[in-house]
Amino acid sequence: MLLAENTARARALAGGTDLVVDLKHAPGDVDLLVDVSQLPEFGGIGETEEGLRIGSMVTFSELMASPIVNQMTPEIVAASHTVGAVQTRNLGTIGGNLVTCVPSADSAPSLLALDAIVTIAGSDGKRSVPLEKFFVGPRKTILEPHELLVEILIPKKNLGKPSHFIKFGLRKGQALALVNVAAALYLNDDGTVAEPRIALGAVAPTPMFARKAEASLDGKKPDEENLLEAARVAVSEIKPIDDFRASANYRRHLVQTLTYRALKRSTEIASEH
Amino acid sequence: MIVKLKVNGEIRSADVSPETTLLKLLREHLNLTGAKLGCDVGDCGTCTVIVDGKSVNSCLMLAGRASGREVTTIEGLASSEQLHPLQETFEELGALQCGFCGPGMIISAKALLDKNPEPTVFEVRDALSGNLCRCTGYTKIIEAVLDAGRIMSTAEAKS
């Protein structure tokens, strides 16, 4: 209610690793902070009939320490480990990372690859949307001013889906991703690929799926040629920028190489099952 | 707003404005200047303190959120008779050069060793990845953490 009545200059405070920095850079932009980090319905991790539920205010450290997340969605743990450093992971939340909505958000690709669904609550009730539809542009989501991100759901059919996440930064710690890639796929009994997903970060205004690349691999044998082709198609779908961290061309090169590696590793995991 | 919290075992309170960070509360209201103000945006780690057993950047945590919680700063490690093993090994090995990163380094190392007294080199490097040393003395810092871990686990085995 507080947020709905004071929409212009009110913000919900989660872990604070982004918002507290914003407050210092632009004091006066916000005159009401509502701390939502301790609300019980926004916390906790658990298995439900629909899948794995992750409260939006769960920190990256909590995700990494969760036995159920390690067992069912290990790539979410791997992605969490690449966020900032220990101190920021102890504060920063998965929901906060998604709501801040930078193109390089480390939590996004591994969640997208498992077709995560987010639940949003507002003064007019709750709604659920696929994570892909949550992102609108850099630092812009579909959240209305009166709405909050409550939880993230990994659908039951994707728990344990073979998946691999790769972050490419310039250092191992405290680095923004030049490119993030997550792949996930199943193998049919005949060895062909089913339900491939390729999610990319830091190469478009929002985290994205490489849908054409997925289609190029669907139903095919995951041999070198087909994996390389999917990686090449993924490059045609991205819109990378030149900045001081890397050129657009270098990002294209990374997407091709890392998409291939993420698909290859997912295939290996799938054949071990 | 009044913030009441436990700092290094003592109940303390202060009247602060809502946008005050935990770091500012510690340094300017409680006169605990061990945690340093470095980058002030969560990159350098020299403001690191332990809150309820977890290391955090005190420059990113609002003081209000620390209310009712237990905070350990570098001032809480030594007693008047005895340095903490990390402080001893940092001194012995010359792991501090200018010393500005020291409080954060030692607090991050303590958070690690409290949970994992015999870490691997990789685990130490990972645990300290949020603490920057611009003298670039990382080699000795990592050795000092490993040594302190050995001292702490030996002491625990004896007791």
Side-chain angles (χ1 to χ4, degrees), chain A residues 13-206:
Chain A
L13 176 66
T17 55
D18 290 318
L19 183 50
V20 173
V21 176
D22 292 347
L23 295 179
K24 293 179 191 187
H25 286 161
D29 275 10
V30 175
D31 55 14
L32 179 71
L33 276 182
V34 181
D35 186 347
V36 296
S37 67
Q38 309 303 315
L39 295 175
E41 54 271 55
F42 288 54
I45 300 167
E47 212 180 344
T48 69
E49 278 180 18
E50 286 128 51
L52 179 66
R53 178 203 165 276
I54 301 171
S56 63
M57 292 300 99
V58 169
T59 66
F60 290 106
S61 297
E62 285 169 342
L63 283 170
M64 289 166 67
S66 159
I68 191 171
V69 179
N70 274 277
Q71 189 198 340
M72 295 181 166
T73 57
E75 292 314 293
I76 293 179
V77 174
S80 299
H81 199 160
T82 71
V83 175
V86 181
Q87 298 96 313
T88 31
R89 294 196 290 269
N90 281 340
L91 290 170
T93 63
I94 189 159
N97 193 232
L98 298 175
V99 171
T100 297
C101 200
V102 292
S104 60
D106 292 321
S107 66
S110 60
L111 292 174
L112 283 172
L114 297 175
D115 298 325
I117 293 162
V118 294
T119 298
I120 296 161
S123 45
D124 52 1
K126 276 192 181 181
R127 57 180 176 137
S128 290
V129 297
L131 179 57
E132 183 189 16
K133 305 267 186 264
F134 183 74
F135 305 125
V136 175
R139 292 186 171 262
K140 177 133 186 57
T141 69
I142 59 166
L143 283 181
E144 299 288 337
H146 63 89
E147 288 182 317
L148 294 167
L149 174 60
V150 182
E151 65 188 32
I152 298 134
L153 180 82
I154 310 298
K156 194 166 206 168
K157 71 180 181 69
N158 291 338
L159 297 179
K161 183 172 182 179
S163 177
H164 190 57
F165 170 78
I166 304 171
K167 170 171 173 171
F168 194 95
L170 295 176
R171 300 175 303 277
K172 280 189 181 163
Q174 300 280 51
L176 280 185
L178 298 187
V179 169
N180 272 331
V181 178
L185 51 80
Y186 286 114
L187 291 181
N188 293 315
D189 291 341
D190 65 359
T192 56
V193 172
E195 298 176 43
R197 294 288 180 276
I198 299 166
L200 304 170
V203 291
T206 67

Side-chain angles (χ1 to χ4, degrees), chain B residues 73-135:
Chain B
T73 70
I74 189 72
E75 288 92 341
L77 264 59
S79 66
S80 52
E81 299 87 40
Q82 181 80 51
L83 289 175
H84 186 278
L86 278 161
Q87 293 169 316
E88 285 183 341
T89 58
F90 268 64
E91 185 192 351
E92 275 164 23
L93 290 172
L96 299 175
Q97 293 184 47
C98 86
F100 195 78
C101 72
M105 283 286 177
I106 290 175
I107 288 288
S108 282
K110 180 184 186 310
L112 168 71
L113 296 180
D114 284 348
K115 291 197 178 73
N116 178 6
E118 293 177 80
T120 63
V121 173
F122 173 79
E123 286 169 330
V124 174
R125 295 175 76 105
D126 191 45
L128 298 183
S129 65
N131 293 83
L132 304 185
C133 166
R134 294 294 81 176
C135 307

Side-chain angles (χ1 to χ4, degrees), chain B residues 3-65:
Chain B
V3 175
K4 193 172 166 189
L5 70 174
K6 199 183 235 184
V7 183
N8 300 328
E10 273 179 54
I11 305 277
R12 307 286 298 266
S13 65
D15 190 1
V16 300
S17 59
E19 73 279 11
T20 305
T21 61
L22 174 58
L23 178 63
K24 195 169 181 185
L25 168 74
L26 292 169
R27 291 180 59 86
E28 297 180 16
H29 297 264
L30 305 181
N31 297 319
L32 292 167
T33 54
K36 299 286 179 261
L37 175 69
C39 69
D40 209 18
V41 293
D43 284 335
C44 79
T46 196
C47 70
T48 305
V49 301
I50 294 176
V51 178
D52 287 348
K54 288 186 170 161
S55 62
V56 300
N57 302 104
S58 62
C59 75
L60 294 182
M61 185 183 238
L62 294 181
R65 187 170 283 176

